[in-house]
Amino acid sequence: MNKGYTWRITLIVLFIIASLVYMVPTLVSPLPSWWSGLLPKDKIHLGLDLQGGTHLVMEVETDKAVEGSLDLIATDLEDSLNSQNLRFKRIARVGGDKVQVTLYDRATADAAQKLVKKKYPDIDILPPLDEAGFVSLQLRVNEKEAQVRKDRAVAQALETIRNRIDQFGVSEPVIQREGINHIVVQLPGIKDPKRAIELIGKTARLEFKLVDENVNAATATPGSVPEDDELLTEKRTDPQTGAVTETPLVVKKKAMITGDLLTDAQVRIDSQYNQPYVAIEFNSTGARLFDQVTAANTGKRFAIVLDNNIYSAPVIRERISGGSAQISGSFTEKEAADLAIVLRAGSLPAPVKIMQNVTVGPSLGADSIHKGLTAGLIGVALVFIFMAVYYKVCGLVANFGMVLNIVYLMGALAALGATLTLPGIAAIVLLVGMSVDSNVLIFERIREEMRLGKTPKAALDAGYDKAFLTIMDSHVTTLITAAVLFQFGTGPVKGFAVSLSLGVIINLFTSLLATKVLFDMFLDRVHVKRLSI
Amino acid sequence: MELLGKTNIDFMGMKKISFVVSGIVALIGIIALVQIGRGAANMGIDFSGGTSLQLKFNAPITTEQARTALDKNGVKEVDLQEIKDGNKLLIKLRKSSTATGQAASEHVQEILRKELPANPFAVESATDIGPSIGDKLRKDTLVAVAISLLGIVLYIAWRFDFKFGVAAVVATTHDVLAMFAAFYLLHKEINLLFITAVLTIAGYSLTDTVVVFDRIRENMHKSLKEPMAPIFNRSINEVLSRSIVTSLTVLLASLSLLLFGGEVIHDFSFALVVGVVVGAYSSIFVASPIVALWEKSPVETKG
């Protein structure tokens, strides 16, 4: 009989030690210097609902990414046709998935078709159509290719957002893709969620466009500007009064230089006016282009456009070579810093839309922890007292099992790097109630057996035996729901499911093995006539 | 100590009353579900999309003050609720986006800052949920509930037999409906946390039912010739004190969550409390009579 104890007790003690070791980083801070590199260092993670922070679900507007890539193709094709002296009437994107090229005759259309086939093997060319004396050629991105582009856009957006958040400086952010076109971002403990959201959500498409001085911007409307121009506005905020002035400007649609040619962006302070500005550096292609454009357009105005807003439109005074330029505007230092971050991290391939934004303030988080723990302690105390009164010594054994449960669960949560949420705390409290449930089942069986006149030892064994299957059944059913909750839940609900399922498994161990060994040991050593139950 | 000595209550004899009571509860639950389906219940913004904002003011604030301030700036159809301790105000809007395209929570904050300059506030929590996410969550939730119920039927059917499985599911469904009924009648919000509580209770209520079933099966094997009603009564009486004690310990734990857990999980813990009580009731008064009516002992079948 004695044989069985050793391994059971060893197991229990080993688990206790392991749990305590894993709990040390959470309970002791800072860790003592002798805490070696091999020992765990991770604290139990707190969910956003407990420490405060922002949870965002963003949708990448992938259709726009496809449209954007078609626009690029249109521009590129325009250059290629020009350089091959193929004359065309116009090239433009039509709808969300096509580019239409209108040419003057069949012969050029054939030549253009050959060119497209060579340059863009992935793109389908619809048979050319004759209409009103012109030949129009439609190029279409097929569905598979569009899907690839959309997928790439989400992956790129994820990378860009990660870069931006890294540079913004949030500790332990979670940034992951969910589903086809959603990105989930969790920012624990940030103080200014609004600023962070603006930073993340900015498309940050930087373009340099020439101002069309031939059109009077003051009277222009979006409909009246020439086809290759567009009407944009320049917003300026007066730093003293906060008043916003909007100046309309007509610029060329075609961007001369775009933000993807940047290598760096830094905030500097203008020594003359004590105003922050963003200094940017181009890569070699960008520098060459910038040099050419400024040389050819000296004396004209050059608009710096970010997400279709003009930041500034300075006059090009002289040819600028060397590949550096600056964006000045009426920013505050913070705005300039954020602008530098988005420019460094690159633009999003498509705009993102915020679908879900949950922000919990740090004070509510602290309040929730406090209340959750209080409720937990009171719950444990009530159950503890009840069991001790109702089942006397045996109740104390059940209580020992309950405490063991909590210690193991905390250890397991820490070891698995799981996240503790407020519903998670609730699950633990609930588990306290359920953990004694198994013991109650066993104890009631034992009482029955004793009523039948069995000896304490026999009653105990029979009680455990007969309750075994019932306990298994009840735990498995709870585990089924916990697993489902884990699968579909997000955030706090997932935290609840993790605590619940871990707790159920641990409870099986403590109720069937840990409390039993205490009884066995006691009954083996001491000859009792009556069980205190 | 013992709560109950040996009891001998005729549970099966009470089935007429209990079926009527449960029928009414279930009916209200079904009405509640229909209302939820139609969007006429108090749906949390998790499912309907919208904005919820909890603010903590420096000085006391009334819902009227806040309502006039918001009304004046074109924010209508807003749910306002004071939270007793600490000058807190809960603001809920069904539709998320404002005319400016700015997040509604920002918009509301700006208005209140402008209109009530003498009473500054801190944002305790802000939630904006787009309608499409709400749809997704609603779908996911339905799937989750369906999968867990199916899993449970299969498990019980495998461990016991089909009749027990069906009865267990009927009882569990009854508990779920009762929770919906309670929340609907009290006009409490149906949100993700509530669904979590419902699923938890579904698991817990089964635990209870399984324990009763286990004993019934054991006693059925012992006395094959006896009619069903006495066997069921005896079994339930035998496990009665266990049923009461375990429900009591779980109840103690969830009551302390309800009373001391704070406003964030107040409704969640309330749902748990309701569920524990209903779960204990249904395993005795709903699940067992169904099996008893269905299952005939060899003696009864012959006679």
Side-chain angles (χ1 to χ4, degrees):
Chain A
M1 267 316 253
N2 242 330
K3 236 172 65 198
Y5 301 154
T6 337
W7 71 268
R8 285 190 284 175
I9 290 179
T10 317
L11 208 58
I12 294 169
V13 174
L14 273 181
F15 281 154
I16 293 179
I17 293 173
S19 301
L20 291 179
V21 167
Y22 276 112
M23 270 155 74
V24 165
T26 309
L27 300 175
V28 183
S29 121
L31 285 170
S33 51
W34 48 263
W35 195 259
S36 95
L38 287 175
L39 293 169
K41 283 194 196 61
D42 284 344
K43 297 178 175 206
I44 294 181
H45 294 281
L46 292 182
L48 292 183
D49 57 337
L50 291 180
Q51 60 171 322
T54 296
H55 172 104
L56 298 170
V57 179
M58 288 178 292
E59 185 180 288
V60 183
E61 296 184 43
T62 47
D63 289 343
K64 294 262 167 68
V66 177
E67 287 172 18
S69 68
L70 283 173
D71 283 339
L72 277 183
I73 289 174
T75 320
D76 187 47
L77 212 54
E78 201 177 319
D79 289 343
S80 310
L81 291 175
N82 276 332
S83 67
Q84 303 229 344
N85 284 327
L86 294 166
R87 292 180 61 236
F88 57 90
K89 184 162 176 272
R90 60 177 300 229
I91 294 181
R93 171 169 61 81
V94 286
D97 64 341
K98 284 191 206 88
V99 170
Q100 179 165 317
V101 189
T102 313
L103 304 127
Y104 292 100
D105 53 63
R106 273 276 165 177
T108 10
D110 289 343
Q113 216 166 332
K114 250 182 228 140
L115 179 91
V116 173
K117 246 185 214 145
K118 210 175 110 203
K119 253 192 123 161
Y120 303 104
D122 299 335
I123 278 183
D124 297 346
I125 306 171
L126 304 182
L129 279 175
D130 291 302
E131 50 177 328
F134 297 106
V135 184
S136 73
L137 203 58
Q138 286 199 331
L139 318 176
R140 192 177 62 192
V141 188
N142 63 40
E143 212 148 291
K144 214 174 120 205
E145 182 61 22
Q147 211 48 54
V148 171
R149 271 161 216 252
K150 285 178 181 177
D151 200 58
R152 206 181 319 153
V154 180
Q156 263 174 37
L158 193 75
E159 209 41 56
T160 308
I161 289 171
R162 181 168 294 142
N163 273 332
R164 288 182 188 177
I165 292 170
D166 281 350
Q167 301 196 11
F168 187 60
V170 178
S171 61
E172 297 180 34
V174 175
I175 304 146
Q176 58 198 20
R177 188 171 177 172
E178 194 184 76
I180 300 168
N181 57 355
H182 286 174
I183 293 176
V184 174
V185 176
Q186 284 185 4
L187 308 169
I190 51 162
K191 289 195 188 69
D192 192 351
K194 193 178 160 193
R195 186 177 159 208
I197 291 165
E198 269 167 18
L199 182 80
I200 296 168
K202 225 179 223 139
T203 310
R205 193 159 35 90
L206 179 71
E207 293 158 310
F208 290 80
K209 295 180 170 180
L210 280 173
V211 177
D212 191 342
E213 310 277 6
N214 300 327
V215 187
N216 183 357
T219 57
T221 58
S224 74
V225 296
E227 210 170 71
D228 55 350
D229 281 357
E230 62 184 339
L231 184 66
L232 297 177
T233 52
E234 177 183 4
K235 278 191 194 140
R236 268 187 181 278
T237 319
D238 190 299
Q240 262 85 49
T241 61
V244 182
T245 48
E246 292 192 4
T247 324
L249 272 179
V250 175
V251 298
K252 293 278 178 199
K253 240 184 203 164
K254 187 174 171 184
M256 308 300 285
I257 300 164
T258 53
D260 49 328
L261 303 173
L262 288 189
T263 54
D264 196 16
Q266 294 289 339
V267 183
R268 301 261 163 76
I269 305 287
D270 183 328
S271 54
Q272 204 177 345
Y273 303 101
N274 204 23
Q275 267 265 354
Y277 68 88
V278 178
I280 51 180
E281 296 285 333
F282 289 106
N283 63 16
S284 57
T285 321
R288 204 185 61 235
L289 267 174
F290 204 67
D291 182 52
Q292 283 169 9
V293 171
T294 51
N297 296 289
T298 314
K300 290 184 186 162
R301 288 178 77 192
F302 208 23
I304 301 168
V305 184
L306 186 75
D307 293 343
N308 286 334
N309 287 311
I310 299 178
Y311 263 72
S312 57
V315 175
I316 304 171
R317 294 213 187 82
E318 57 193 352
R319 169 181 183 169
I320 304 170
S321 46
S324 54
Q326 50 177 271
I327 305 172
S328 50
S330 54
F331 337 103
T332 63
E333 220 160 305
K334 261 188 197 168
E335 283 167 349
D338 290 352
L339 179 60
I341 289 177
V342 295
L343 291 179
R344 270 203 305 271
S347 63
L348 291 178
V352 292
K353 207 160 62 185
I354 292 177
M355 310 295 292
Q356 185 181 358
N357 166 11
V358 181
T359 298
V360 176
S363 66
L364 185 66
D367 192 45
S368 292
I369 288 199
H370 177 73
K371 286 194 169 135
L373 292 183
T374 313
L377 284 178
I378 294 174
V380 170
L382 286 175
V383 174
F384 199 96
I385 294 168
F386 176 82
M387 290 298 284
V389 170
Y390 195 75
Y391 290 114
K392 301 191 206 103
V393 175
C394 287
L396 290 179
V397 176
N399 284 336
F400 162 77
M402 175 172 89
V403 172
L404 210 56
N405 250 324
I406 299 174
V407 171
Y408 285 166
L409 182 56
M410 289 299 173
L413 284 175
L416 292 177
T419 306
L420 192 64
T421 60
L422 187 56
I425 294 180
I428 295 171
V429 177
L430 205 62
L431 212 73
V432 166
M434 289 165 141
S435 79
V436 295
D437 181 288
S438 321
N439 283 302
V440 171
L441 266 175
I442 296 164
F443 293 168
E444 289 295 322
R445 278 289 188 174
I446 294 175
R447 281 181 172 183
E448 278 177 46
E449 300 295 328
M450 298 213 340
R451 267 187 227 120
L452 294 176
K454 287 195 181 162
T455 63
K457 177 79 190 142
L460 189 83
D461 287 339
Y464 270 93
D465 273 355
K466 289 192 173 165
F468 176 77
L469 274 180
T470 317
I471 292 174
M472 280 302 273
D473 285 340
S474 65
H475 281 68
V476 170
T477 47
T478 308
L479 211 53
I480 291 175
T481 46
V484 173
L485 279 176
F486 182 79
Q487 196 54 45
F488 99 105
T490 56
V493 176
K494 208 165 203 143
F496 178 82
V498 170
S499 298
L500 192 65
S501 37
L502 278 178
V504 167
I505 294 166
I506 290 169
N507 193 33
L508 267 182
F509 175 80
T510 49
S511 60
L512 294 177
L513 198 141
T515 55
K516 178 87 195 315
V517 80
L518 277 191
F519 282 120
D520 283 351
M521 265 190 9
F522 184 71
L523 290 179
D524 243 25
R525 306 247 153 110
V526 191
H527 263 280
V528 280
K529 295 237 164 58
R530 258 184 55 87
L531 212 53
S532 168
I533 195 164
Chain B
M1 197 181 117
E2 266 182 78
L3 272 184
L4 309 160
K6 209 168 154 48
T7 52
N8 200 1
I9 306 168
D10 180 15
F11 290 105
M12 293 301 115
M14 290 185 223
K15 63 172 176 274
K16 276 194 188 130
I17 307 169
S18 64
F19 277 3
V20 169
V21 172
S22 297
I24 294 172
V25 170
L27 197 68
I28 301 175
I30 291 170
I31 295 174
L33 278 182
V34 171
Q35 293 292 80
I36 289 167
R38 289 177 50 224
N42 182 7
M43 294 298 281
I45 58 163
D46 299 346
F47 297 119
S48 63
T51 293
S52 141
L53 197 61
Q54 187 176 315
L55 305 175
K56 186 177 165 60
F57 286 86
N58 276 10
I61 178 154
T62 62
T63 50
E64 284 76 38
Q65 274 174 299
R67 189 177 301 280
T68 1
L70 291 172
D71 217 43
K72 222 163 80 186
N73 289 276
V75 177
K76 287 171 179 113
E77 288 179 56
V78 54
D79 261 352
L80 294 173
Q81 193 188 324
E82 270 175 88
I83 297 169
K84 278 143 230 145
D85 51 49
N87 305 330
K88 290 181 189 172
L89 186 70
L90 195 63
I91 303 168
K92 267 183 214 159
L93 288 156
R94 292 290 153 198
K95 289 210 182 79
S96 216
S97 56
T98 48
T100 55
Q102 176 192 26
S105 59
E106 290 289 334
H107 188 58
V108 168
Q109 285 174 47
E110 258 167 40
I111 293 172
L112 291 178
R113 236 173 245 134
K114 195 177 74 186
E115 296 284 331
L116 305 163
N119 193 357
F121 58 82
V123 180
E124 293 222 298
S125 73
T127 309
D128 285 296
I129 292 180
S132 66
I133 285 271
D135 275 350
K136 182 177 174 291
L137 282 177
R138 206 161 26 199
K139 242 178 258 158
D140 286 359
T141 308
L142 282 178
V143 172
V145 173
I147 292 176
S148 44
L149 282 181
L150 186 73
I152 287 161
V153 183
L154 290 180
Y155 183 78
I156 304 268
W158 171 62
R159 288 283 297 121
F160 293 85
D161 80 45
F162 182 63
K163 288 169 191 165
F164 283 92
V166 171
V169 166
V170 171
T172 306
T173 312
H174 164 269
D175 299 342
V176 169
L177 287 175
M179 289 171 80
F180 273 102
F183 264 56
Y184 177 65
L185 289 181
L186 297 171
H187 205 68
K188 284 190 180 290
E189 192 180 286
I190 312 285
N191 56 22
L192 261 189
L193 270 186
F194 170 71
I195 301 295
T196 308
V198 167
L199 282 175
T200 310
I201 288 299
Y204 171 77
S205 140
L206 268 160
T207 307
D208 236 30
T209 309
V210 164
V211 173
V212 177
F213 280 3
D214 246 12
R215 184 59 67 99
I216 291 173
R217 190 174 49 174
E218 192 182 319
N219 284 338
M220 273 166 65
H221 286 306
K222 267 191 218 155
S223 42
L224 288 169
K225 297 221 165 113
E226 222 179 322
M228 283 295 132
I231 295 185
F232 275 65
N233 271 330
R234 195 169 66 242
S235 310
I236 296 173
N237 276 300
E238 277 170 12
V239 294
L240 188 61
S241 67
R242 184 291 344 174
S243 293
I244 293 174
V245 171
T246 57
S247 300
L248 214 60
T249 55
V250 179
L251 194 65
L252 284 179
S254 15
L255 270 178
S256 94
L257 279 178
L258 177 67
L259 297 176
F260 310 105
E263 73 242 9
V264 181
I265 47 169
H266 185 272
D267 286 3
F268 176 70
S269 3
F270 176 73
L272 290 180
V273 170
V274 172
V276 170
V277 174
V278 181
Y281 160 88
S282 74
S283 52
I284 294 174
F285 291 100
V286 180
S288 310
I290 291 178
V291 183
L293 283 177
W294 199 343
E295 188 95 48
K296 298 279 182 218
S297 74
V299 181
E300 286 167 298
T301 343
K302 269 177 214 158

